[in-house]
Amino acid sequence: MEVNQGRGIGAAGGNDRLPAVQELEQLIETWEGLAVLTHFDKPTGTWIFICIHDNTLGPSTGGTRIATYASPADGLLDGMRLSAGMTHKWAAANLGFGGAKAVLAVPHPMAGDERQGLLSRYAGMINLLSGNFLTGEDMGITPEDMEFLARHTDHLHGYDVNGRKVDPSPYTARGVLTGIKTALERKFGEPSVHGRTVVVQGAGNVGGHLIRMLTAEGAEVLIADVDRERARNLASECNARLIDDRSGASGGNGSEVFSTECDVFAPCAVGAILNQETIPRLACPIVAGSANNQLEEPEDVERLRERGILWAPDYIVNAGGAISFAYLGKGISEPAELFDKVDSIGTTLAEIFREAEDRNESTLAAAERRVARTLERERG
Ligand code: NAD
């Protein structure tokens, strides 16, 4: 994410105002989503965009991201792309939600009264939509922010029957684990991770849970994280190994995280890590991880196919948190029951793998067709 370079966010005047306005106009003119509720929060200089992408299957639902962008248009573009991704994620799971995402494009990091003022005005915007938009956490939102928002709006998701906020990460990790097993079964006829080598990039909220789950089931895990201390702690807790990363940058394209031989590469950090430079270096038959937007460009899915690498589409395999939230909304709070629901990702993914093979196409094409079918059926 770029830092704010002063081009637009918070700046009402200035020589470059017109191009910024044109950028916004162009984005809105070309977007295929339903609507964007936009507000400029004068006290903090924050652009707020609630991007409602689709409501075919139910209320438009997606997280709220707080970040600093180079321009308001960059924030809007991020919100638009993420909300379209949510439509895909929800339609693939087919659980009665549409896609949305909100972006609070802040000009600088905020704390205390300034942050709470912004959040309370944002909650007012959520309330304007009367339950047609439901939201939860995304990048830049803290548990304290969620607690504060909950005092100002009822239109949040991810709460258990006792009104406690639930952390989606263990459920997302469980979905990735199920996805890895489904991919192993497809490639080798055997889903067990026992004895398999898995490289996990990113030992954060999702990666940390995934590493614990994998090692508990007997997998050999190799960890790469730019936060060396976090990686080291997890490695010693779980008896996993660190990637011997002589490039010194666990995430960069030069990193050995891509060329380390393994059965599964599980990207659980940043997006765009599958690209022209990294794909030729991969030394694994399977890629399945939680990171959003793993492909840098659409052609990358063909690059993976040409190398015979089975890719589990990110929005299918990382839907565990979303699925658990959908069932929390139906009154199911028991973690074991929620984990069972998340395991439906395995069935969905197996069907996608089969369809892709039958049609001799990429797993992404099969996933997209599944989404289109679900939406078309509902639209009639
Ligand atoms: P997080 O911020 O808790 O963890 C990310 C970890 O990746 C951190 O430890 C960070 O140090 C590390 N990292 C960052 N850049 C890196 C790089 N270039 N190379 C190696 N490590 C790097 O985030 P998270 O909640 O665990 O989410 C991880 C990914 O999964 C993100 O792409 C997120 O959008 C996606 N995702 C998360 C959830 C969820 O439930 N949290 C749900 C769906 C998708």
Side-chain angles (χ1 to χ4, degrees):
M1 198 70 61
E2 289 186 68
V3 287
N4 178 20
Q5 289 149 357
R7 184 172 65 99
I9 295 180
N15 289 339
D16 46 6
R17 182 176 172 207
L18 198 60
V21 169
Q22 281 171 348
E23 265 185 282
L24 287 171
E25 278 176 5
Q26 199 184 19
L27 281 175
I28 291 167
E29 275 171 15
T30 54
W31 198 42
E32 87 287 6
L34 280 181
V36 181
L37 185 61
T38 305
H39 174 66
F40 180 68
D41 185 63
K42 289 196 187 65
T44 61
T46 300
W47 280 92
I48 302 177
F49 301 109
I50 300 181
C51 300
I52 307 288
H53 184 260
D54 192 85
N55 64 356
T56 305
L57 301 174
S60 304
T61 303
T64 296
R65 174 168 289 196
I66 300 184
T68 299
Y69 297 88
S71 74
D74 285 348
L76 175 59
L77 181 61
D78 203 25
M80 286 175 161
R81 282 190 181 144
L82 290 163
S83 67
M86 287 310 299
T87 296
H88 279 71
K89 190 178 290 195
W90 285 125
N94 201 4
L95 288 170
F97 292 93
K101 205 86 175 186
V103 163
L104 274 56
V106 294
H108 54 255
M110 280 172 208
D113 289 348
E114 188 184 30
R115 190 174 181 98
Q116 294 200 342
L118 171 65
L119 288 173
S120 66
R121 292 183 289 277
Y122 169 54
M125 289 175 69
I126 299 173
N127 290 335
L128 268 180
L129 294 166
S130 310
N132 292 302
F133 167 63
L134 302 175
T135 194
E137 60 276 87
D138 195 83
M139 249 171 60
I141 285 267
T142 65
E144 295 72 38
D145 292 338
M146 286 307 296
E147 224 172 87
F148 183 83
L149 278 175
R151 279 186 254 135
H152 292 78
T153 179
D154 292 332
H155 307 302
L156 302 178
H157 74 159
Y159 290 81
D160 68 15
V161 283
N162 301 312
R164 273 190 297 261
K165 186 77 190 83
V166 172
D167 174 9
S169 319
Y171 300 102
T172 304
R174 169 67 167 240
V176 176
L177 179 68
T178 303
I180 287 174
K181 289 179 179 174
T182 307
L184 284 169
E185 181 158 35
R186 184 86 206 161
K187 269 277 176 196
F188 304 114
E190 166 57 57
S192 172
V193 297
H194 192 273
R196 295 286 177 195
T197 306
V198 184
V199 168
V200 180
Q201 182 188 36
N205 290 322
V206 178
H209 285 291
L210 178 65
I211 291 162
R212 289 186 190 95
M213 291 170 182
L214 283 165
T215 51
E217 294 193 23
E220 192 184 326
V221 176
L222 289 144
I223 306 175
D225 195 301
V226 285
D227 184 335
R228 293 299 182 112
E229 197 176 330
R230 181 177 284 177
R232 258 195 304 272
N233 290 342
L234 255 165
S236 68
E237 179 197 324
C238 301
N239 203 15
R241 284 190 289 146
L242 295 176
I243 294 275
D244 174 20
D245 196 352
R246 270 159 283 168
S247 73
S250 311
N253 280 352
S255 166
E256 287 171 32
V257 70
F258 300 108
S259 51
T260 299
E261 216 168 293
C262 58
D263 294 304
V264 182
F265 171 48
C268 297
V270 288
I273 31 76
L274 300 174
N275 54 49
Q276 269 198 89
E277 288 165 67
T278 60
I279 292 170
R281 299 175 47 224
L282 290 174
C284 60
I286 292 167
V287 177
S290 74
N292 274 314
N293 305 324
Q294 292 169 21
L295 305 174
E296 189 170 299
E297 52 183 357
E299 293 74 24
D300 292 322
V301 77
E302 291 305 327
R303 293 189 178 107
L304 287 163
R305 259 186 100 203
E306 278 160 21
R307 291 220 43 221
I309 296 171
L310 183 61
W311 180 63
D314 39 22
Y315 66 83
I316 303 292
V317 90
N318 72 13
I323 292 172
S324 69
F325 280 14
Y327 283 99
L328 283 167
K330 297 178 201 284
I332 296 176
S333 284
E334 196 49 52
E337 238 180 298
L338 291 172
F339 279 135
D340 276 354
K341 299 292 186 193
V342 167
D343 285 346
S344 64
I345 286 175
T347 313
T348 305
L349 197 57
E351 286 169 8
I352 287 169
F353 286 159
R354 206 172 309 124
E355 187 167 328
E357 193 168 299
D358 289 351
R359 291 179 166 253
N360 193 24
E361 66 184 7
S362 72
T363 51
L364 181 62
E368 306 260 286
R369 187 164 332 89
R370 184 185 181 92
V371 164
R373 266 198 313 263
T374 303
L375 292 172
E376 277 159 22
R377 216 174 20 240
E378 189 65 26
R379 286 172 187 147

